[in-house]
Amino acid sequence: MCKTVDIDWSNLGFSYIKTDLRYVSKWKDGNWDEGTLVEDHHLSISESSTALHYGQQCFEGLKAYRTKSGKIQLFRPNQNAKRINDSCKRVLMPEIPEDKFIDACIQVVKANEHYVPPYGTGATLYLRPFVIGVGDNIGVKPAPEYIFCVFCLPVGPYFKGGMAPVNFTVSQYDRAAPYGTGAAKVGGNYAGSLLSHELAVKKGFADCIYLDPLTHTKIEEVGAANFFGITKDNKFITPKSPSILPSITKYSLLHVAKEYLEMEVAERDVLIDQLDEFKEAGACGTAAVITPIGGIEYKGKLHVFHSKTEVGPVTKKLYDTLYGIQFGDVKAPKGWIVEVK
C-alpha cells in the first residue's frame, strides 16, 4: 500500500523538502558502481574535493508528472541525460550511461511515489541529478573520484493564481565568457548570476537579461532561463549562441510551435535594440515552462511587448500545449514521455 504524506499540495512553493530516499552512485578506478537508494540526505566528502575548490560539478533539473489517470511520467529524461554528459565532458568528469541516468531517476520517483502531487494541483515532483568531483586532491586537476546523485522534492506550480507577465532589466554583468562554460549546466554559471539577480530585484524587476559577452548587442538568456519572441508575422524566434545553455524546454517549444501551432521557427541572433520586431516574448525553462515577459528595460526605457498585465495569445497556446503534453492531456511526440512503472 502506498504511503501518504501530510502536505498541503495547493500551497507548495519551490523550497527544499526532505523526501525518503535518494540515489547515490560512486565512480572510482574508471568505473561507476551499481548505485543504491539511501535514506541519508547528507554526503560525506573530502575537504579537498575538487567540487568545493575548483567548481568541478554539474547538475540537471527535471520533473515527474502525475496524469489524470494516476500514472506518473517523466518528460524527455534522455535529453537531460545527454545534457549532463555534455556538462561532464566540459569539466572533465566521467559520463553517465543514459540508461543508468534514466534508471536512477525512475528509482527515485518510485521510491518517493507518495510525494508525487495529485493531478490537477499544478504541482510536480522535481528531480535534481548532479555529479561532483570528490576524493583527496589539492592540485588544479580532475578529481580521483566522483559522486552521481539524484534526489527529489515536491514543488508547487510556478504561477500562484495564474500566469502573468513580469518585467526584466538588462544586466551590466556577463553570464558567461564567449568560449567559456555557458552551454554547460555547471554551478559557477549560477554563482556568477546571484549579484546581477539581486540588483535587478532591488530595482523592482523579476530578474535580468544577459547580453552576449563579446559584443553586448544580442540577447542570450533571461535570468536562468532561455528567451523566445513571437514576431509580428507570427514566427517563433529564439537566440542561438555557443554560450547559451541548451534548454530542453526551449527545444520542446520550438517543436510545439512548428508541429502543433504550424508556426515558422528559427534560432538566430536577437538584437537588444530591435525588440520592436516582437509582439510577444517569454522566458522558458523547467520550473515555469514559460514566464511571459511584459517588458524589458534597456538604457532607462521599458519596452513593452503584448501587455504588462495580460499574457499574449500565442504564448498562452504554447504554454497550454506543452503543459498538456507534460501532464498527459495532449498527445506527446514519440519518445518524449517515459512512464514510471
Side-chain angles (χ1 to χ4, degrees):
M1 186 174 175
C2 185
K3 289 170 62 178
T4 58
V5 289
D6 185 19
I7 291 177
D8 182 357
W9 302 112
S10 60
N11 286 310
L12 271 176
F14 198 92
S15 300
Y16 179 78
I17 294 174
K18 180 181 177 293
T19 51
D20 294 347
L21 295 165
R22 65 274 313 130
Y23 174 95
V24 176
S25 180
K26 297 180 179 179
W27 185 95
K28 190 175 181 180
D29 299 327
N31 292 292
W32 289 106
D33 68 14
E34 188 91 2
T36 186
L37 293 171
V38 301
E39 291 186 9
D40 192 357
H41 68 309
H42 296 97
L43 294 174
S44 179
I45 63 174
S46 169
E47 62 189 355
S48 63
S49 293
T50 58
L52 300 177
H53 301 275
Y54 306 126
Q56 197 186 23
Q57 58 85 248
C58 65
F59 69 98
E60 274 299 318
L62 66 157
K63 292 178 175 179
Y65 306 81
R66 195 180 293 277
T67 69
K68 198 171 188 177
S69 66
K71 292 191 301 185
I72 299 171
Q73 58 188 35
L74 299 173
F75 178 72
R76 308 192 76 182
N78 61 321
Q79 296 302 303
N80 294 95
K82 178 184 182 301
R83 192 168 65 180
I84 201 170
N85 282 331
D86 288 342
S87 297
C88 283
K89 284 185 281 190
R90 181 62 180 83
V91 292
L92 289 182
M93 297 195 296
E95 294 179 51
I96 304 154
E98 182 179 308
D99 57 352
K100 181 181 180 71
F101 177 92
I102 295 174
D103 178 63
C105 292
I106 289 173
Q107 283 192 50
V108 169
V109 175
K110 287 173 71 173
N112 298 282
E113 181 178 345
H114 43 290
Y115 284 100
V116 182
Y119 173 84
T121 61
T124 52
L125 187 74
Y126 181 81
L127 278 73
R128 172 55 62 84
F130 64 91
V131 183
I132 57 173
V134 297
D136 297 327
N137 179 82
I138 203 61
V140 183
K141 59 185 179 183
E145 301 172 24
Y146 297 88
I147 293 174
F148 166 48
C149 178
V150 183
F151 67 92
C152 69
L153 59 147
V155 297
Y158 190 86
F159 300 105
K160 303 288 186 184
M163 187 165 61
V166 291
N167 297 329
F168 295 84
T169 184
V170 174
S171 177
Q172 63 179 317
Y173 294 102
D174 291 331
R175 176 187 160 271
Y179 300 99
T181 59
K185 200 168 175 67
V186 294
N189 296 344
Y190 295 82
S193 73
L194 295 176
L195 175 60
S196 44
H197 170 77
E198 183 177 85
L199 293 173
V201 171
K202 283 182 177 177
K203 287 176 65 179
F205 295 92
D207 208 333
C208 57
I209 300 278
Y210 294 103
L211 302 181
D212 73 291
L214 200 58
T215 70
H216 287 188
T217 61
K218 297 173 280 192
I219 290 178
E220 289 220 328
E221 292 207 350
V222 186
N226 279 195
F227 175 89
F228 73 86
I230 309 300
T231 63
K232 290 173 181 174
D233 57 353
N234 223 42
K235 294 175 183 173
F236 181 99
I237 307 297
T238 187
K240 186 174 181 62
S241 164
S243 52
I244 293 176
L245 182 73
S247 165
I248 294 160
T249 305
K250 179 184 82 170
Y251 285 109
S252 301
L253 286 171
L254 276 163
H255 183 89
V256 165
K258 184 178 180 181
E259 302 299 333
Y260 287 69
L261 305 188
E262 299 181 336
M263 299 171 66
E264 285 189 48
V265 303
E267 283 184 276
R268 61 160 171 81
D269 289 345
V270 175
L271 298 174
I272 187 63
D273 62 359
Q274 293 182 17
L275 294 177
D276 57 358
E277 71 170 315
F278 300 110
K279 62 180 180 179
E280 298 178 32
C284 56
T286 299
V289 181
I290 290 174
T291 299
I293 298 176
I296 294 175
E297 184 204 48
Y298 179 56
K299 292 185 176 178
K301 289 186 177 181
L302 183 70
H303 177 92
V304 177
F305 295 98
H306 177 75
S307 166
K308 285 196 285 186
T309 57
E310 301 294 326
V311 181
V314 179
T315 300
K316 183 72 164 60
K317 282 182 189 174
L318 287 164
Y319 176 87
D320 288 345
T321 305
L322 188 54
Y323 184 90
I325 289 170
Q326 291 172 332
F327 278 97
D329 297 324
V330 174
K331 185 175 173 56
K334 185 179 180 181
W336 279 25
I337 298 299
V338 172
E339 187 179 342
V340 177
K341 295 179 180 178

